[in-house]
Amino acid sequence: MKLNCDLGESFGAWSMPVESAIMAEIDQANIACGFHAGDPLVMKQAILSAKQHDVAIGAHPAYPDLQGFGRRSMAIAADELKAMIQYQVSALSGMAKVCGANVSYVKPHGALYNDMMKDTAVMRTVMQSIAEINMQSLNSPLALMVQATSQNAALKDAAQEWGLPLYFEAFSDRRYTDEGLLQSRLIEGAVLSESDALLQAKQLISSGTVTTASGATLAIEADSLCVHGDTKGAVNIAKKIRTFL
Protein backbone atom coordinates (compact mmCIF):
# COMPACT_ATOMS: atom_id res chain seq x y z
CA MET A 1 0.00 0.00 0.00
CA LYS A 2 1.23 3.49 -0.87
CA LEU A 3 0.81 6.69 1.15
CA ASN A 4 -0.64 9.83 -0.44
CA CYS A 5 -1.32 13.40 0.67
CA ASP A 6 -3.18 16.42 -0.72
CA LEU A 7 -0.55 19.14 -1.17
CA GLY A 8 0.20 22.35 -3.04
CA GLU A 9 -2.69 23.94 -1.16
CA SER A 10 -1.07 27.20 -0.13
CA PHE A 11 -2.39 30.24 -1.97
CA GLY A 12 -0.90 33.74 -2.09
CA ALA A 13 -0.35 34.86 1.49
CA TRP A 14 -2.10 31.74 2.86
CA SER A 15 0.45 29.08 3.74
CA MET A 16 -0.09 25.41 4.60
CA PRO A 17 2.77 24.62 7.00
CA VAL A 18 3.26 20.89 6.48
CA GLU A 19 4.03 20.59 2.79
CA SER A 20 7.82 20.40 2.71
CA ALA A 21 7.96 18.29 5.87
CA ILE A 22 5.48 15.66 4.72
CA MET A 23 6.82 15.17 1.19
CA ALA A 24 9.68 12.99 2.44
CA GLU A 25 7.20 10.54 4.02
CA ILE A 26 4.80 9.89 1.12
CA ASP A 27 4.69 8.05 -2.21
CA GLN A 28 2.08 10.14 -4.03
CA ALA A 29 1.41 13.90 -3.92
CA ASN A 30 -2.01 15.15 -4.99
CA ILE A 31 -1.23 18.71 -6.05
CA ALA A 32 -3.94 21.38 -6.14
CA CYS A 33 -4.52 23.00 -9.51
CA GLY A 34 -5.76 26.48 -8.54
CA PHE A 35 -9.54 26.05 -8.29
CA HIS A 36 -9.77 25.30 -4.55
CA ALA A 37 -6.21 26.20 -3.55
CA GLY A 38 -2.76 26.59 -5.02
CA ASP A 39 -1.33 29.19 -7.37
CA PRO A 40 1.29 28.97 -10.14
CA LEU A 41 4.28 29.40 -7.82
CA VAL A 42 2.93 27.00 -5.21
CA MET A 43 2.18 24.41 -7.90
CA LYS A 44 5.71 24.69 -9.27
CA GLN A 45 7.30 24.43 -5.83
CA ALA A 46 5.22 21.35 -4.99
CA ILE A 47 6.18 19.68 -8.27
CA LEU A 48 9.88 20.36 -7.70
CA SER A 49 9.64 19.04 -4.14
CA ALA A 50 7.89 15.88 -5.33
CA LYS A 51 10.55 15.41 -8.00
CA GLN A 52 13.33 15.87 -5.42
CA HIS A 53 11.82 13.18 -3.16
CA ASP A 54 10.91 10.82 -6.03
CA VAL A 55 7.20 11.14 -5.23
CA ALA A 56 4.57 10.41 -7.91
CA ILE A 57 2.62 13.52 -8.94
CA GLY A 58 -1.16 13.57 -9.18
CA ALA A 59 -3.43 16.39 -10.31
CA HIS A 60 -5.96 17.39 -7.64
CA PRO A 61 -8.77 19.24 -9.50
CA ALA A 62 -11.79 20.68 -7.72
CA TYR A 63 -14.92 22.72 -8.10
CA PRO A 64 -14.13 26.47 -8.54
CA ASP A 65 -14.46 27.26 -4.82
CA LEU A 66 -11.53 29.12 -3.29
CA GLN A 67 -13.63 30.51 -0.44
CA GLY A 68 -14.92 27.08 0.57
CA PHE A 69 -11.65 25.22 -0.09
CA GLY A 70 -13.47 23.10 -2.66
CA ARG A 71 -15.56 21.42 0.02
CA ARG A 72 -18.94 22.76 -1.17
CA SER A 73 -20.86 20.83 -3.79
CA MET A 74 -21.86 22.63 -7.00
CA ALA A 75 -24.42 21.84 -9.67
CA ILE A 76 -22.35 22.09 -12.87
CA ALA A 77 -23.35 20.85 -16.31
CA ALA A 78 -21.39 17.82 -17.51
CA ASP A 79 -19.67 19.57 -20.44
CA GLU A 80 -18.61 22.46 -18.22
CA LEU A 81 -17.33 20.18 -15.45
CA LYS A 82 -15.40 18.13 -17.99
CA ALA A 83 -13.71 21.27 -19.32
CA MET A 84 -12.91 22.45 -15.79
CA ILE A 85 -11.21 19.16 -14.93
CA GLN A 86 -9.27 19.11 -18.20
CA TYR A 87 -8.19 22.74 -17.70
CA GLN A 88 -6.81 22.01 -14.23
CA VAL A 89 -5.07 18.77 -15.16
CA SER A 90 -3.55 20.45 -18.22
CA ALA A 91 -2.24 23.33 -16.11
CA LEU A 92 -0.48 21.02 -13.68
CA SER A 93 0.78 18.75 -16.48
CA GLY A 94 2.21 21.74 -18.34
CA MET A 95 3.96 23.03 -15.24
CA ALA A 96 5.30 19.54 -14.54
CA LYS A 97 6.86 19.38 -18.01
CA VAL A 98 8.60 22.71 -17.35
CA CYS A 99 10.07 21.10 -14.23
CA GLY A 100 11.11 17.92 -16.02
CA ALA A 101 8.41 15.83 -14.35
CA ASN A 102 5.16 14.12 -15.30
CA VAL A 103 1.68 13.87 -13.83
CA SER A 104 0.71 10.19 -13.54
CA TYR A 105 -2.78 10.24 -12.05
CA VAL A 106 -5.78 12.40 -11.11
CA LYS A 107 -7.50 12.57 -7.73
CA PRO A 108 -10.50 14.92 -7.55
CA HIS A 109 -10.70 17.04 -4.42
CA GLY A 110 -13.25 17.56 -1.70
CA ALA A 111 -16.87 17.92 -2.77
CA LEU A 112 -16.08 16.87 -6.34
CA TYR A 113 -14.56 13.63 -5.00
CA ASN A 114 -17.54 12.98 -2.74
CA ASP A 115 -20.04 13.75 -5.52
CA MET A 116 -18.14 11.46 -7.88
CA MET A 117 -18.44 8.59 -5.41
CA LYS A 118 -22.17 9.12 -4.83
CA ASP A 119 -23.38 10.08 -8.33
CA THR A 120 -22.71 7.82 -11.32
CA ALA A 121 -23.26 10.74 -13.73
CA VAL A 122 -20.49 12.77 -12.06
CA MET A 123 -18.21 9.72 -12.02
CA ARG A 124 -18.84 9.22 -15.73
CA THR A 125 -17.99 12.85 -16.47
CA VAL A 126 -14.77 12.61 -14.47
CA MET A 127 -13.76 9.42 -16.24
CA GLN A 128 -14.56 10.83 -19.66
CA SER A 129 -12.59 14.01 -18.99
CA ILE A 130 -9.44 12.04 -18.13
CA ALA A 131 -9.94 9.57 -20.97
CA GLU A 132 -10.05 12.43 -23.48
CA ILE A 133 -6.73 13.74 -22.13
CA ASN A 134 -5.25 10.25 -22.44
CA MET A 135 -6.38 9.94 -26.05
CA GLN A 136 -4.28 12.98 -26.98
CA SER A 137 -1.23 12.13 -24.86
CA LEU A 138 1.93 10.31 -25.86
CA ASN A 139 2.71 9.52 -22.20
CA SER A 140 1.42 6.61 -20.15
CA PRO A 141 -2.33 6.99 -19.50
CA LEU A 142 -3.34 8.99 -16.45
CA ALA A 143 -4.91 6.86 -13.73
CA LEU A 144 -7.90 7.96 -11.67
CA MET A 145 -7.78 7.73 -7.87
CA VAL A 146 -11.13 6.80 -6.32
CA GLN A 147 -12.31 5.75 -2.91
CA ALA A 148 -12.11 2.04 -2.15
CA THR A 149 -15.58 0.72 -1.33
CA SER A 150 -17.58 -2.47 -1.74
CA GLN A 151 -18.21 -1.26 -5.30
CA ASN A 152 -14.59 -1.61 -6.48
CA ALA A 153 -15.53 -4.21 -9.11
CA ALA A 154 -18.26 -2.01 -10.60
CA LEU A 155 -15.87 0.94 -10.77
CA LYS A 156 -13.27 -1.22 -12.52
CA ASP A 157 -15.89 -2.18 -15.12
CA ALA A 158 -16.86 1.47 -15.67
CA ALA A 159 -13.21 2.54 -15.95
CA GLN A 160 -12.48 -0.23 -18.45
CA GLU A 161 -14.96 1.39 -20.85
CA TRP A 162 -12.70 4.45 -20.92
CA GLY A 163 -9.41 2.56 -20.72
CA LEU A 164 -8.63 4.12 -17.35
CA PRO A 165 -6.30 2.58 -14.78
CA LEU A 166 -7.60 3.05 -11.22
CA TYR A 167 -6.01 3.59 -7.84
CA PHE A 168 -8.27 2.71 -4.91
CA GLU A 169 -7.61 4.71 -1.76
CA ALA A 170 -8.58 4.54 1.89
CA PHE A 171 -8.42 7.34 4.46
CA SER A 172 -6.44 7.30 7.66
CA ASP A 173 -7.91 10.46 9.17
CA ARG A 174 -11.62 10.39 8.24
CA ARG A 175 -14.53 8.62 9.87
CA TYR A 176 -16.40 6.14 7.66
CA THR A 177 -20.15 5.61 7.34
CA ASP A 178 -21.71 2.14 7.25
CA GLU A 179 -22.03 2.59 3.48
CA GLY A 180 -18.25 2.83 3.20
CA LEU A 181 -18.22 6.53 2.32
CA LEU A 182 -16.75 9.42 4.31
CA GLN A 183 -18.77 11.00 7.07
CA SER A 184 -19.57 14.67 6.42
CA ARG A 185 -17.07 17.10 7.90
CA LEU A 186 -20.06 18.95 9.40
CA ILE A 187 -20.45 16.06 11.88
CA GLU A 188 -18.30 16.26 15.00
CA GLY A 189 -15.63 13.58 14.93
CA ALA A 190 -15.68 13.14 11.15
CA VAL A 191 -12.02 14.20 11.09
CA LEU A 192 -10.11 11.86 13.37
CA SER A 193 -7.68 12.89 16.07
CA GLU A 194 -4.03 11.99 15.61
CA SER A 195 -4.29 8.95 17.87
CA ASP A 196 -7.48 7.68 16.21
CA ALA A 197 -6.04 8.28 12.74
CA LEU A 198 -3.03 6.14 13.63
CA LEU A 199 -5.26 3.37 14.95
CA GLN A 200 -7.36 3.45 11.78
CA ALA A 201 -4.27 3.46 9.56
CA LYS A 202 -2.81 0.47 11.39
CA GLN A 203 -6.12 -1.39 11.06
CA LEU A 204 -6.33 -0.67 7.33
CA ILE A 205 -2.74 -1.78 6.74
CA SER A 206 -2.78 -4.88 8.93
CA SER A 207 -6.26 -6.27 8.25
CA GLY A 208 -7.71 -4.34 5.30
CA THR A 209 -10.70 -3.27 7.39
CA VAL A 210 -12.09 -0.09 8.90
CA THR A 211 -14.43 0.49 11.85
CA THR A 212 -17.35 2.77 10.95
CA ALA A 213 -18.99 5.48 13.03
CA SER A 214 -21.56 2.94 14.29
CA GLY A 215 -18.91 0.37 15.18
CA ALA A 216 -19.40 -1.89 12.18
CA THR A 217 -16.40 -3.45 10.44
CA LEU A 218 -16.00 -3.01 6.69
CA ALA A 219 -13.48 -4.65 4.36
CA ILE A 220 -11.50 -2.06 2.38
CA GLU A 221 -9.34 -3.19 -0.55
CA ALA A 222 -7.07 -0.20 -1.19
CA ASP A 223 -3.86 0.58 -3.08
CA SER A 224 -3.09 3.86 -1.32
CA LEU A 225 -3.72 5.44 2.06
CA CYS A 226 -4.45 9.18 2.38
CA VAL A 227 -3.53 11.58 5.14
CA HIS A 228 -4.84 15.11 4.59
CA GLY A 229 -2.28 17.90 4.79
CA ASP A 230 -4.61 20.07 6.88
CA THR A 231 -5.33 17.39 9.48
CA LYS A 232 -3.89 18.28 12.89
CA GLY A 233 -0.65 16.35 13.39
CA ALA A 234 -0.47 15.36 9.70
CA VAL A 235 3.33 15.13 9.58
CA ASN A 236 3.53 12.92 12.65
CA ILE A 237 0.67 10.75 11.33
CA ALA A 238 2.49 10.34 8.02
CA LYS A 239 5.79 9.45 9.70
CA LYS A 240 4.17 6.76 11.83
CA ILE A 241 2.16 5.38 8.90
CA ARG A 242 5.44 5.13 6.98
CA THR A 243 6.77 3.03 9.85
CA PHE A 244 3.68 0.80 9.70
CA LEU A 245 4.12 0.37 5.96
Side-chain angles (χ1 to χ4, degrees):
M1 186 182 292
K2 297 183 181 299
L3 180 60
N4 79 80
C5 186
D6 303 341
L7 295 172
E9 292 181 327
S10 298
F11 183 79
W14 169 254
S15 178
M16 298 288 280
V18 306
E19 303 210 343
S20 59
I22 209 168
M23 194 69 81
E25 308 298 334
I26 62 175
D27 304 294
Q28 298 166 309
N30 320 312
I31 299 178
C33 305
F35 271 36
H36 77 280
D39 59 33
L41 180 58
V42 168
M43 289 165 63
K44 187 173 185 179
Q45 290 171 336
I47 291 165
L48 289 171
S49 180
K51 182 181 177 184
Q52 177 186 351
H53 289 93
D54 196 25
V55 170
I57 297 169
H60 199 39
Y63 288 131
D65 181 27
L66 283 173
Q67 289 80 5
F69 199 62
R71 288 178 173 156
R72 299 181 294 190
S73 185
M74 294 183 171
I76 298 176
D79 59 346
E80 186 176 8
L81 179 58
K82 184 170 68 172
M84 285 179 175
I85 293 169
Q86 291 170 342
Y87 177 90
Q88 293 176 79
V89 175
S90 297
L92 191 73
S93 295
M95 188 67 81
K97 287 181 181 178
V98 170
C99 298
N102 287 302
V103 172
S104 60
Y105 67 95
V106 178
K107 176 189 169 181
H109 167 82
L112 176 57
Y113 186 98
N114 293 334
D115 289 350
M116 171 185 77
M117 295 306 304
K118 294 175 183 177
D119 188 329
T120 55
V122 177
M123 177 66 79
R124 185 174 181 85
T125 298
V126 172
M127 287 186 173
Q128 185 178 8
S129 68
I130 300 168
E132 288 183 1
I133 294 173
N134 287 342
M135 284 189 287
Q136 302 301 323
S137 175
L138 298 177
N139 297 321
S140 299
L142 295 172
L144 172 63
M145 186 174 284
V146 298
Q147 186 177 349
T149 70
S150 61
Q151 302 301 311
N152 281 12
L155 286 174
K156 287 179 182 178
D157 289 343
Q160 190 171 12
E161 177 185 349
W162 300 104
L164 283 182
L166 293 180
Y167 284 125
F168 290 99
E169 76 167 333
F171 292 84
S172 64
D173 52 9
R174 293 294 309 280
R175 186 79 66 195
Y176 277 77
T177 68
D178 287 351
E179 294 72 34
L181 299 175
L182 299 183
Q183 193 176 61
S184 169
R185 286 177 177 266
L186 298 177
I187 299 174
E188 186 176 354
V191 179
L192 301 182
S193 67
E194 182 177 331
S195 59
D196 285 345
L198 289 170
L199 286 174
Q200 182 156 290
K202 196 166 188 177
Q203 180 181 351
L204 282 161
I205 293 166
S206 62
S207 67
T209 64
V210 67
T211 302
T212 71
S214 73
T217 300
L218 296 179
I220 301 289
E221 187 178 341
D223 307 305
S224 189
L225 186 60
C226 176
V227 56
H228 289 92
D230 62 341
T231 293
K232 187 175 181 180
V235 175
N236 193 45
I237 293 171
K239 286 181 177 180
K240 291 187 176 180
I241 291 175
R242 173 55 60 203
T243 301
F244 297 156
L245 292 171

